[in-house]
């Protein structure tokens, strides 16, 4: 396991740099590095040549030697010149926050699309930094543990800019083809008329856990639901690939639930751009479920980061429900209406649901049913209650309405099948000839 030295800078710009530095340590651990030392500095503005002051550079160099670290990680994005200068002065591989996040994405990508997206982002970031990154990438390519088996963008470090740009063009073409395939799949899902709900939020807030909870409780088939579960782990960016699953609660509208990649503070711009097609699931959803780690003291900052990222994606206009997850891990006084509750009885008292938010625990499967109710309320705005009498000759209509509507009652009469149901406005108009009475 590689030993890392973290470097944080407090610029007095209102950001909680200690929280950011702690998060950087979690990112390093996600790359299976051991954080052995930390260096901090307060500056009015960054040093153009080294980001940190020249005196601090010497301190960091001595600390790196003393602690025998393998890599030095800065909690900010470094310019190509800063990367090169630090590399020469510190004589250790240098990584910045963006490079570290890109490393994690490269490790976790599983689908062909995710691998292409990550490689595009990595090459875009590497191009202007080839000199400074050379030693850091050599370390990654030759390591005997966590940093081996990297993406194709760093397999041959001697590649010059022209070859990298050629590779980028090739990747973009492949990514465009994959994007077209995804768009075709998305259009096919839209044809079903089934509502779309997307999970968004800060990384490690519990999105995958919530998706698995819904599959377990409301999957169409118990065995099938178990196979369709995604990996859930208490780790930053445990999952990257977008997953879409059908959720069919009894007596509620069925919907398609998608789990998107998590967000994080200072998420590399290139990465957001590369994952644009994947994140279209959020932009085109009928409802967004922003999953929040309510047990994190900085959850409000994480909400702000998520909202800013959604704004960049053009998805900030989609109706949203706030899911305050891991509420069982906080003090009862922090929960609306639960002050004074005995800690041992907190789970039984959850959830506390409001119009657009809910406090719950996806891991303990507490509050999932109430969340379904909130989703139903949000979705029901475009639905109509009606009664239809469908002749036995049109079995296809009966089948369609059973799948795409919420059928409250079914009666088999001499004239046909009478359904009391709630259906979409479009279906109401399409099958209006079967209405028992004008609504």
């Amino acid at each position: 396991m590689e030993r890392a030295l973290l470097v944080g800078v407090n610029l007095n710009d209102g950001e909680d740099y200690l929280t950011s530095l702690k998060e950087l340590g979690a990112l390093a651990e996600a790359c299976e590095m051991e954080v052995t030392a930390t260096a901090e500095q307060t500056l009015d503005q960054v040093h153009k040549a080294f980001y940190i002051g020249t005196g601090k550079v010497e301190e960091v160099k001595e600390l790196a030697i003393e602690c025998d670290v393998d890599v030095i990680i800065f909690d900010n994005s470094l310019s190509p010149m800063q990367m090169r200068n630090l590399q020469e002065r510190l004589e250790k591989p240098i990584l910045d926050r963006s490079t570290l996040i890109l490393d994690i994405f490269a490790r976790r990508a599983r689908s062909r699309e995710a691998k292409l997206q990550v490689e595009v982002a990595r090459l875009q970031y590497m191009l202007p930094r080839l000199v400074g990154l050379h030693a850091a990438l050599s370390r990654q390519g030759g390591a005997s543990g966590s940093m081996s088996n990297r993406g194709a963008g760093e397999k041959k470090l001697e590649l010059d800019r022209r070859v990298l740009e050629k590779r980028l063009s090739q990747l973009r073409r492949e990514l465009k083809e994959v994007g077209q395939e995804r768009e075709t799949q998305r259009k096919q899902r839209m044809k079903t008329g089934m509502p779309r709900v997307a999970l968004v939020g800060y990384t490690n807030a519990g999105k995958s856990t919530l998706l698995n909870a819904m599959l377990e409780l409301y999957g169409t088939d118990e065995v099938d639901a178990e196979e369709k579960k995604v990996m859930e782990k208490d780790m930053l960016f445990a999952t990257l690939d977008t997953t879409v699953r059908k959720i069919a609660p009894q007596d509620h509208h069925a919907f398609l639930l998608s789990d998107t990649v998590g967000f994080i503070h200072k998420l590399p711009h290139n990465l957001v751009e590369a994952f644009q097609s994947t994140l279209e699931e959020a932009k085109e959803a009928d409802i967004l479920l922003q999953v929040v780690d309510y047990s994190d003291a900085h959850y409000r900052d994480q909400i702000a980061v998520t909202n800013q990222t959604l704004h960049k994606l053009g998805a900030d206009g989609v109706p949203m429900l706030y899911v305050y997850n891991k509420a069982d891990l906080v003090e009862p006084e922090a929960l609306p209406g639960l002050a004074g509750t005995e800690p041992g009885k907190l789970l039984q008292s959850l959830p506390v649901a409001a119009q657009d938010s809910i406090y719950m625990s996806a891991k303990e499967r507490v509050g999932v049913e109430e969340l379904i109710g909130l989703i139903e309320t949000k979705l029901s705005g475009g639905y109509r209650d009606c009664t239809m009498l469908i002749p036995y000759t049109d079995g296809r209509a009966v089948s369609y309405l059973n799948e795409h509507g919420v059928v409250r009652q079914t009666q088999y009469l001499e004239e046909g099948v009478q359904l009391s149901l709630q259906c979409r406005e479009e279906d109401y108009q399409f099958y209006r000839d079967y209405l028992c009475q004008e609504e």
Side-chain angles (χ1 to χ4, degrees):
M1 180 179 288
E2 290 189 304
R3 297 159 62 85
L5 164 62
L6 307 185
V7 180
V9 176
N10 179 11
L11 294 173
N12 295 315
D13 55 3
E15 289 187 11
D16 190 339
Y17 88 101
L18 289 177
T19 301
S20 182
L21 194 57
K22 180 181 177 181
E23 190 173 77
L24 183 70
L27 288 169
E29 290 173 4
C31 267
E32 298 184 15
M33 296 181 189
E34 178 188 0
V35 178
T36 57
T38 301
E40 303 171 28
Q41 184 175 31
T42 299
L43 294 173
D44 292 327
Q45 59 183 13
V46 299
H47 193 286
K48 290 184 179 180
F50 296 100
Y51 197 85
I52 55 177
T54 52
K56 180 60 70 171
V57 172
E58 294 306 316
E59 286 183 30
V60 170
K61 183 176 182 178
E62 292 176 8
L63 185 59
I65 295 172
E66 179 184 340
C67 298
D68 190 27
V69 300
D70 302 296
V71 59
I72 301 173
I73 309 174
F74 283 74
D75 189 27
N76 300 87
S77 290
L78 301 173
S79 70
M81 180 179 68
Q82 290 166 347
M83 181 83 73
R84 181 172 62 252
N85 292 342
L86 286 167
Q87 180 71 60
E88 293 174 353
R89 186 70 66 88
L90 296 175
E91 300 177 342
K92 291 281 185 180
I94 304 297
L95 295 179
D96 61 10
R97 187 183 181 94
S98 295
T99 313
L100 193 59
I101 293 174
L102 289 168
D103 269 348
I104 294 173
F105 272 59
R107 292 167 61 87
R108 306 284 162 74
R110 293 292 178 267
S111 69
R112 176 172 174 249
E113 182 178 23
K115 290 177 180 178
L116 289 172
Q117 289 168 326
V118 172
E119 190 174 354
V120 166
R122 285 164 66 81
L123 291 182
Q124 286 178 327
Y125 195 76
M126 281 172 57
L127 269 172
R129 296 170 171 83
L130 284 176
V131 177
L133 280 172
H134 191 280
L137 296 181
S138 296
R139 169 190 61 71
Q140 295 170 4
S144 59
S146 64
M147 307 308 290
S148 58
N149 299 320
R150 291 307 187 174
E154 62 188 38
K155 286 178 181 176
K156 295 184 178 180
L157 302 177
E158 68 276 9
L159 290 176
D160 60 15
R161 185 179 302 275
R162 186 171 17 178
V163 176
L164 285 180
E165 289 176 344
K166 183 178 179 181
R167 175 62 176 157
L168 259 177
S169 298
Q170 178 188 347
L171 288 169
R172 289 191 180 108
R173 285 195 298 270
E174 291 183 42
L175 200 53
K176 186 176 180 180
E177 293 173 3
V178 176
Q180 290 172 344
E181 293 172 10
R182 175 176 285 278
E183 183 63 24
T184 300
Q185 294 171 353
R186 189 181 292 120
K187 287 180 179 178
Q188 288 297 116
R189 291 197 295 269
M190 290 177 66
K191 285 181 181 179
T192 67
M194 200 169 292
R196 290 158 296 160
V197 179
L199 295 167
V200 297
Y202 214 75
T203 180
N204 204 32
K207 296 183 296 298
S208 297
T209 303
L210 180 56
L211 182 142
N212 287 341
M214 287 194 176
L215 272 175
E216 182 181 301
L217 298 173
Y218 306 112
T220 52
D221 180 85
E222 200 170 302
V223 177
D224 188 46
E226 199 62 37
E227 291 179 350
K228 289 186 176 181
K229 284 185 177 181
V230 297
M231 184 183 79
E232 55 182 84
K233 193 173 183 180
D234 186 13
M235 179 188 293
L236 301 184
F237 298 115
T239 55
L240 292 184
D241 297 314
T242 297
T243 304
V244 181
R245 298 288 185 261
K246 180 180 177 181
I247 305 298
Q250 190 174 4
D251 298 328
H252 291 284
H253 296 103
F255 57 87
L256 295 174
L257 181 66
S258 59
D259 180 16
T260 61
V261 63
F263 304 138
I264 197 169
H265 184 51
K266 303 175 187 174
L267 187 66
H269 179 69
N270 290 339
L271 205 51
V272 176
E273 283 189 341
F275 276 76
Q276 184 77 34
S277 62
T278 304
L279 293 169
E280 288 291 325
E281 296 289 345
K283 186 177 179 180
E284 298 184 6
D286 296 294
I287 299 175
L288 295 180
L289 301 183
Q290 183 172 162
V291 184
V292 180
D293 180 358
Y294 193 58
S295 67
D296 193 303
H298 302 277
Y299 74 90
R300 289 187 180 88
D301 296 329
Q302 296 177 359
I303 291 175
V305 169
T306 299
N307 289 339
Q308 289 166 9
T309 309
L310 290 173
H311 177 72
K312 291 178 184 177
L313 295 169
D316 49 339
V318 181
M320 184 183 297
L321 293 174
Y322 289 89
V323 181
Y324 293 100
N325 190 33
K326 307 183 185 181
D328 56 316
L329 302 179
V330 304
E331 293 297 324
E333 285 69 22
L335 292 165
L338 293 183
T341 303
E342 293 181 29
K345 296 181 179 179
L346 183 61
L347 270 180
Q348 290 80 2
S349 303
L350 289 175
V352 180
Q355 184 177 357
D356 292 318
S357 62
I358 184 171
Y359 298 84
M360 60 176 295
S361 172
K363 183 178 180 180
E364 302 297 336
R365 307 307 192 242
V366 175
V368 182
E369 183 178 347
E370 287 77 6
L371 176 58
I372 290 292
L374 283 179
I375 295 172
E376 177 79 5
T377 301
K378 278 285 186 183
L379 291 176
S380 61
Y383 284 75
R384 295 279 292 267
D385 291 308
C386 60
T387 302
M388 296 185 180
L389 181 61
I390 305 171
Y392 290 111
T393 54
D394 195 356
R396 180 177 296 180
V398 176
S399 176
Y400 177 87
L401 291 170
N402 268 289
E403 182 176 357
H404 297 278
V406 178
V407 177
R408 312 294 188 192
Q409 185 180 37
T410 302
Q411 291 180 284
Y412 296 92
L413 307 178
E414 193 174 320
E415 302 88 345
V417 182
Q418 182 172 292
L419 301 178
S420 297
L421 75 157
Q422 187 180 73
C423 65
R424 293 184 308 148
E425 179 66 31
E426 305 95 286
D427 295 332
Y428 176 89
Q429 296 298 336
F430 188 82
Y431 292 108
R432 67 177 304 116
D433 291 343
Y434 294 148
L435 290 172
C436 292
Q437 57 185 20
E438 286 294 330
E439 301 292 331

